[in-house]
């Protein structure tokens, strides 16, 4: 992944993870696997876990410890009401930016 892609992902990964959790609750490794399934194959697990700590502190997710068959309990993350509000704002902002970027892309001859 190039530096530009990495920088853009830093600004959007929080919203992407919240969008994944909007579908159904998940634990850290499962979130990473879903990201990879969606084509975000270069995102490190450590990046996801650090992000989960941040969004938990901000109240965007609720955490439940669920027993695991293979070791310590897993932390399962569920989107909170604040997280749903944040995600709605994220999609509104994304739509705004996406629309304008598409317009600019069209003005420059389609990126050529």
């Amino acid at each position: 992944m190039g530096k530009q892609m990495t920088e853009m992902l830093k600004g959007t990964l929080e919203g992407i993870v919240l969008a994944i959790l909007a579908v159904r609750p998940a634990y850290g490794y499962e979130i990473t696997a879903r990201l990879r399934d969606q084509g975000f194959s270069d995102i490190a697990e450590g990046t996801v876990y650090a992000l989960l700590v941040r969004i938990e502190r901000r109240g965007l997710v609720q955490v439940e410890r669920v027993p695991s068959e293979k070791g310590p309990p897993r932390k399962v993350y569920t989107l909170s009401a604040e997280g749903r509000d944040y995600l709605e704002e994220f999609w509104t902002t994304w739509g705004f930016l996406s629309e304008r970027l598409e317009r600019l892309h069209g003005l420059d001859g389609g990126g050529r």
Side-chain angles (χ1 to χ4, degrees):
M1 186 178 329
K3 182 174 173 54
Q4 191 174 51
M5 176 70 83
T6 301
E7 290 302 314
M8 285 185 166
L9 268 175
K10 280 182 187 176
T12 57
L13 189 57
E14 197 170 86
I16 293 167
V17 168
L18 292 176
I20 286 172
L21 292 174
V23 175
R24 71 175 193 267
Y27 57 93
Y29 179 79
E30 188 178 10
I31 293 167
T32 302
R34 288 190 203 166
L35 285 167
R36 290 184 177 143
D37 288 346
Q38 295 298 317
F40 298 102
S41 56
D42 292 340
I43 295 175
E45 272 185 68
T47 300
V48 173
Y49 284 106
L51 183 141
L52 289 170
V53 168
R54 285 194 308 273
I55 63 176
E56 180 182 357
R57 285 184 183 148
R58 291 175 48 207
L60 302 178
V61 293
Q62 295 170 333
V63 180
E64 179 183 357
R65 292 192 180 273
V66 176
S68 171
E69 299 167 3
K70 300 179 182 178
R74 290 181 173 157
K75 290 173 86 172
V76 175
Y77 298 86
T78 304
L79 208 55
S80 68
E82 293 88 350
R84 288 196 185 283
D85 291 345
Y86 183 93
L87 182 58
E88 186 176 322
E89 184 179 339
F90 171 82
W91 286 128
T92 299
T93 302
W94 182 260
F96 174 87
L97 292 172
S98 176
E99 182 182 306
R100 274 130 190 101
L101 288 171
E102 282 296 322
R103 238 187 273 156
L104 285 171
H105 185 65
L107 289 177
D108 76 353
R112 295 178 237 339

